[in-house]
């Protein structure tokens, strides 16, 4: 089999995952998606604090995946979010899907649009406690956001064993923020957030200080590049609190989460498009029935410079795919999630 066919095979598998815009237009730019997938980078983080007398990495379980969504894709996703916002303003979304503060206050002006379930941050007027309101309906996840989920599962960003069935869109204007919190356990782990429009820092720590409205400080700060996906799991989701201080300019984030089975709304219908998603198959030693790209390439020499470049790109993609294949899911016990206590700051270090 020729090397060109090997690259073509990867590209064909990716075609079914092409994101499409609201009007059905192709969302992907013109780059070869197989090469783009190979260029996605994952960063893990270390930050040590003493919790109940034990020094632990409070960021264990955090992953930052960069270059997941291109600039062209980001623009189309943002346009889609603005379309949701306009529909919400005009009352064309189900009640509680679109939420806007009655009165803007510094740090409390975020517009939220939630799909899949209605979630309460605090006790509401009907005395519903914080968490998922099971007897309240909101709009289902829109097609474009479902395609984002498919992309993230396919590209090994999200686990196929924890596919999101809800999401919340946050639209920040200048001086908006998200206060310190740990995500409610009505949602299972891992979950993720995708960043758009402007870069900002997300702050982590077992103790986060509130200096004033929207002004927070903590022991670890992570910048969130545009189009990146931050996956929260383990200590990073359940031991460390996190927050986003006031932003200097408009920002959009989309957080995808899977509901705990016991908390799913009563009238919720699982979306067949999000069932049984699988990551792209990995070619190499872990899959003996699939020939590695290098072996395919030996059957026919490059015919021209462009073909040679494709071969080099395929070789690079193969190295990344083999690296992904060697990853193993982290197994954590209850001992990894001790109650919050005093902290000791140690220098943040990125793998």
């Amino acid at each position: 089999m020729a090397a060109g066919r090997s690259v073509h095979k990867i590209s064909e598998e990716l075609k079914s995952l092409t994101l499409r815009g609201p009007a059905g237009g192709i969302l992907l730019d013109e780059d070869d998606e197989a090469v783009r997938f190979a260029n996605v980078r994952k960063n893990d983080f270390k930050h040590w604090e003493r919790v109940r007398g034990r020094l632990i990495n409070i960021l264990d379980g955090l992953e930052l995946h960069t270059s997941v969504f291109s600039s062209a894709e980001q623009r189309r996703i943002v346009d889609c979010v603005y379309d949701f916002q306009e529909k919400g303003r005009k009352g064309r979304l189900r009640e509680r899907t679109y939420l806007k503060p009655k009165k803007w206050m510094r740090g409390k002006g975020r517009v939220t649009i939630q799909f899949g379930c209605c979630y309460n941050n605090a006790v509401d007027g009907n005395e519903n406690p914080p968490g998922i309101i099971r007897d309240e309906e909101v709009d289902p996840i829109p097609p474009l956001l479902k395609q984002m989920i498919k992309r993230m599962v396919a590209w090994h960003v999200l686990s196929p064993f924890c596919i999101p069935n809800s999401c919340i869109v946050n639209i920040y204007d200048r001086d908006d923020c998200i206060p310190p919190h740990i995500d409610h356990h009505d949602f299972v782990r891992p979950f993720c957030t995708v960043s758009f429009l402007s870069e900002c820092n997300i702050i982590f720590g077992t103790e986060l200080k509130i200096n004033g409205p929207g002004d927070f400080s903590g022991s670890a700060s992570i910048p969130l590049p545009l189009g990146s996906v931050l996956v929260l799991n383990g200590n990073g989701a359940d031991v460390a609190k996190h927050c986003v201080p006031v932003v200097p300019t408009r920002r959009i984030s989309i957080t995808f989460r899977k509901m705990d089975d016991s908390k799913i709304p009563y009238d919720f219908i699982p979306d067949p498009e999000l069932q049984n998603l699988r990551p792209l198959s990995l070619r190499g030693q872990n899959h003996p029935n699939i020939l590695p790209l290098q072996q395919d390439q030996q059957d026919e020499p490059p015919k021209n410079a462009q073909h040679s470049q494709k071969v080099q790109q395929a070789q690079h993609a193969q190295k990344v795919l083999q690296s992904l294949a060697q990853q193993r899911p982290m197994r954590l016990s209850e001992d990894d999630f001790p109650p919050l206590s005093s902290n000791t700051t140690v220098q943040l270090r990125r793998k």
Side-chain angles (χ1 to χ4, degrees):
M1 183 182 297
R5 291 181 59 191
S6 298
V7 174
H8 176 72
K9 187 171 183 179
I10 297 176
S11 297
E12 285 298 312
E13 190 172 0
L14 285 155
K15 277 184 180 179
S16 63
L17 303 160
T18 298
L19 302 185
R20 296 184 177 274
I26 293 177
L27 182 62
L28 283 173
D29 50 29
E30 296 179 355
D31 293 342
D32 185 332
E33 192 174 359
V35 176
R36 284 192 50 210
F37 169 46
N39 287 330
V40 170
R41 294 292 179 264
K42 185 188 84 169
N43 293 316
D44 300 313
F45 299 91
K46 293 183 183 295
H47 183 76
W48 301 89
E49 290 188 9
R50 195 168 295 279
V51 179
R52 297 189 65 187
R54 191 160 65 110
L55 198 62
I56 67 170
N57 175 18
I58 65 164
L59 301 185
D60 187 37
L62 285 189
E63 297 177 359
L64 181 64
H65 299 258
T66 57
S67 302
V68 179
F69 298 100
S70 70
S71 297
E73 292 167 352
Q74 292 174 47
R75 287 193 295 270
R76 290 181 174 93
I77 293 169
V78 167
D79 287 344
C80 190
V81 168
Y82 286 151
D83 184 57
F84 300 151
Q85 185 178 24
E86 186 63 20
K87 288 179 179 177
R89 286 171 177 162
K90 294 180 178 180
R92 294 166 56 192
L93 300 177
R94 286 180 183 170
E95 189 177 2
R96 302 293 295 269
T97 298
Y98 175 80
L99 300 173
K100 181 180 180 179
K102 294 181 180 179
K103 182 179 179 181
W104 188 93
M105 295 176 61
R106 179 180 169 87
K108 296 184 179 180
R110 265 184 308 124
V111 171
T112 60
I113 308 171
Q114 47 189 352
F115 299 105
C117 71
C118 179
Y119 171 73
N120 251 1
N121 284 313
V123 176
D124 64 14
N126 297 322
E127 298 186 355
N128 292 305
I132 295 173
I133 305 177
R134 302 187 70 189
D135 57 359
E136 186 83 47
E137 279 191 83
V138 297
D139 284 289
I141 299 177
L144 183 61
L145 303 193
K146 288 191 290 187
Q147 292 297 325
M148 291 177 65
I149 293 173
K150 293 177 183 179
R151 158 73 64 78
M152 291 186 288
V153 173
W155 286 17
H156 297 254
V157 174
L158 293 181
S159 166
F161 304 107
C162 192
I163 297 172
N165 53 13
S166 72
C167 71
I168 183 167
V169 179
N170 288 294
I171 304 173
Y172 304 71
D173 273 322
R174 180 179 177 179
D175 289 339
D176 285 338
C177 69
I178 290 183
H181 68 285
I182 288 178
D183 279 54
H184 202 286
H185 279 82
D186 280 1
F187 302 100
V188 300
R189 277 54 170 154
F191 56 94
C192 74
T193 185
V194 192
S195 298
F196 302 97
L197 280 185
S198 63
E199 183 173 309
C200 75
N201 290 346
I202 184 169
I203 296 175
F204 287 87
T206 56
E207 300 292 340
L208 297 180
K209 185 177 180 181
I210 301 177
N211 305 309
D215 182 10
F216 316 121
S217 57
S219 54
S221 180
I222 298 174
L224 300 176
L226 299 183
S228 66
V229 182
L230 181 69
V231 179
L232 293 89
N233 199 9
N235 292 349
D238 290 314
V239 172
K241 297 177 183 178
H242 60 274
C243 65
V244 175
V246 290
V247 295
T249 185
R250 174 164 285 200
R251 175 178 185 261
I252 289 174
S253 68
I254 306 178
T255 299
F256 294 91
R257 300 181 287 198
K258 176 178 170 60
M259 295 178 276
D260 185 282
D261 289 343
S262 66
K263 302 295 183 177
I264 289 177
Y266 297 120
D267 294 329
F268 180 81
I269 300 175
D271 193 315
E273 289 187 47
L274 298 178
Q275 305 303 304
N276 303 314
L277 298 182
R278 291 290 179 266
L280 290 172
S281 56
L282 302 176
R283 302 164 62 87
Q285 296 177 352
N286 288 359
H287 295 266
N289 295 327
I290 304 177
L291 292 175
L293 291 178
Q294 288 93 331
Q295 184 170 339
D296 294 344
Q297 292 157 8
Q298 293 173 359
D299 295 338
E300 182 175 307
K303 294 180 180 179
N304 52 48
Q306 182 178 5
H307 187 86
S308 178
Q309 183 180 13
K310 281 289 186 181
V311 171
Q312 292 175 1
Q313 292 171 341
Q315 289 173 336
H316 177 65
Q318 170 63 15
K319 290 179 181 178
V320 174
L321 294 173
Q322 286 180 340
S323 174
L324 287 168
Q326 294 170 359
Q327 295 176 13
R328 294 291 182 266
M330 184 180 299
R331 297 185 180 277
L332 299 168
S333 66
E334 292 183 359
D335 292 338
D336 291 303
F337 305 97
L340 301 182
S341 182
S342 60
N343 65 314
T344 300
T345 303
V346 178
Q347 183 178 3
L348 177 63
R349 186 159 59 89
R350 182 179 298 185
K351 280 187 176 180

